[in-house]
């Protein structure tokens, strides 16, 4: 029920670490790995087993390049970077935020190792000037890894109008059952509240807290 991403990132350097958002994306990453000679790990989304997806006609040939994030929603106000199970939750939150006049650019990193080879996230931050890193790992894990990659290696810090932020799981063992999952890991309301507070910090007149 928890997320071992921080442990995997610390122990598996030199091995591809793929974090697809659903089963179709997992197939694309498996196909890519099978065409190469390098070792790789694909983390399948547990909640994805309960969701029906459209099956592409080219499923047997479908491949996803490693180290290339996908922009799922184009936005203007803030960049939201995430992966895996959080992508679906983030997508739903972005739709609600759009009704609150907050335009979020949602990016699925797809692979953590390698990570954003062509600096697509930096390009997004250059446009939005704000970024939130989201995952279901403990604090200091996957979100800290992504932040270091983007701010230090990609030098995206110069484009920020407000401090970069992270949203991750609570600092305890993951709780069982769906309700425990809801309170242990970031949920839709957490994402909306976090992004709204970041927008309030930048534009307090347009996004009041009351």
């Amino acid at each position: 029920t928890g997320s071992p991403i921080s442990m995997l990132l610390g122990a598996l350097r030199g091995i591809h670490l793929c974090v697809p958002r659903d089963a179709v994306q997992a197939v694309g990453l498996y196909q890519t790995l099978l065409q190469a000679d390098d070792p790789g790990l694909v983390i399948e989304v547990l909640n994805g087993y309960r969701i029906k997806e459209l099956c592409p006609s080219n499923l047997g040939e479908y491949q996803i390049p490693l180290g290339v994030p996908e922009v799922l929603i184009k936005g203007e106000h803030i960049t939201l970077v995430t992966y895996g199970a959080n992508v679906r939750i983030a997508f739903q939150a972005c739709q609600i935020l759009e009704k609150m006049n907050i335009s979020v650019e949602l990016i699925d990193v797809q692979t953590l190792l390698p990570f954003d080879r062509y600096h697509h996230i930096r390009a997004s931050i250059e446009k939005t000037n704000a970024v939130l890193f989201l995952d279901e790992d403990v604090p200091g894990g996957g979100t800290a890894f992504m932040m270091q990659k983007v701010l230090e290696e990609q030098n995206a810090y110069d484009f920020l109008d407000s401090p970069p932020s992270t949203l991750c799981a609570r600092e305890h063992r993951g709780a069982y059952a769906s309700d425990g999952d809801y309170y242990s890991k970031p949920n839709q309301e957490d994402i909306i509240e976090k992004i709204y507070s970041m927008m309030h910090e930048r534009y307090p007149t347009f996004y009041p807290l009351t």
Side-chain angles (χ1 to χ4, degrees), residues 14-18 30 33 38-42:
I15 296 178
H16 297 312
L17 181 56
C18 306
Y30 277 127
L33 291 172
D38 299 321
L41 176 66
V42 179

Side-chain angles (χ1 to χ4, degrees), residues 102 195-210:
I102 299 177
I195 289 181
Y196 191 91
S197 68
M198 293 176 69
M199 291 299 294
H200 168 75
E201 191 271 334
R202 297 171 71 193
Y203 310 107
T205 303
F206 294 102
Y207 303 99
L209 292 180
T210 54

Side-chain angles (χ1 to χ4, degrees), residues 12-19 29 32-33 36-43 66-67 111-115 117:
L12 298 182
R13 296 304 172 96
I15 296 178
H16 297 312
L17 181 56
C18 306
V19 283
L29 290 165
T32 301
L33 291 172
D37 294 326
D38 299 321
L41 176 66
V42 179
I43 300 179
L66 304 181
T111 64
L112 289 170
L113 298 173
F115 182 86
R117 285 175 166 168

Side-chain angles (χ1 to χ4, degrees), residues 47-64:
N47 290 333
Y49 297 153
R50 308 182 183 98
I51 298 172
K52 291 184 178 180
E53 302 174 45
L54 294 175
C55 183
S57 59
N58 64 337
L59 193 63
E61 295 130 9
Y62 180 51
Q63 295 185 34
I64 297 175

Side-chain angles (χ1 to χ4, degrees), residues 36-109:
D37 294 326
D38 299 321
L41 176 66
V42 179
I43 300 179
E44 298 179 5
V45 178
L46 182 62
N47 290 333
Y49 297 153
R50 308 182 183 98
I51 298 172
K52 291 184 178 180
E53 302 174 45
L54 294 175
C55 183
S57 59
N58 64 337
L59 193 63
E61 295 130 9
Y62 180 51
Q63 295 185 34
I64 297 175
L66 304 181
V68 182
E70 181 179 358
V71 179
L72 300 178
I73 300 177
K74 291 187 178 296
E76 302 294 332
H77 293 148
I78 186 168
T79 299
L80 175 55
V81 181
T82 189
Y83 60 86
N86 284 118
V87 173
R88 185 176 297 275
I89 300 171
F91 193 93
Q92 295 168 344
C94 289
Q95 292 178 315
I96 296 175
L97 287 164
E98 186 69 31
K99 298 176 182 177
M100 302 166 69
N101 296 316
I102 299 177
S103 177
V104 181
E105 182 140 300
L106 176 60
I107 298 180
D108 176 10
V109 302

